[in-house]
Amino acid sequence: MKGKIVLIQFPFDDLSSSKVRPAYCLTRSIGSYQHIIFALITSRIPRTPLTTDILLQPQHPDFSQSGLQKPSTICLDHLITLRQSMIRRELGDLSLITQTEISTLLCQLLVH
């Protein structure tokens, strides 16, 4: 599943509720419970993106294969781990170039 964009029930950060929304699979399934680490995808494009935001707009080379309907932001500062069985549907995927960019940004986030 790594590199895929999927739909999952993504909880709000205060755990008050959740919403079905797209997410990016950062890992393959791990362990006996088949956990995957996901990054939130939102259709809100920030005026001042964080260094850990990946913007996927129609001009981005991966936008058409992503399965996203609107310009979106992958938020690497908003992660969750869920079972693979929580995936409702696969939308699309990202190229190896974009996956590498995401991995690099995530490593920088975890190191600093």
Side-chain angles (χ1 to χ4, degrees), residues 6-9 14 21 32 35-36 47 52 55 58 62 64-65 69 83 87 90 94-95 101 106-107:
V6 298
L7 283 180
I8 60 171
Q9 191 79 26
D14 65 359
R21 60 185 327 137
S32 60
H35 285 121
I36 296 174
R47 287 186 185 189
T52 53
L55 303 181
D62 288 0
S64 63
Q65 69 190 37
Q69 302 293 316
R83 291 180 182 203
I87 295 173
E90 187 178 316
L94 298 178
S95 69
E101 177 186 357
L106 189 58
C107 285

Side-chain angles (χ1 to χ4, degrees), residues 5 12 16 19 25 59 80:
I5 294 177
F12 295 137
S16 62
K19 180 179 177 181
C25 299
Q59 62 271 26
I80 189 163

Side-chain angles (χ1 to χ4, degrees), residues 2 7 42 96 98 101 108 111:
K2 183 178 180 194
L7 283 180
T42 179
L96 287 176
T98 303
E101 177 186 357
Q108 290 172 359
V111 168

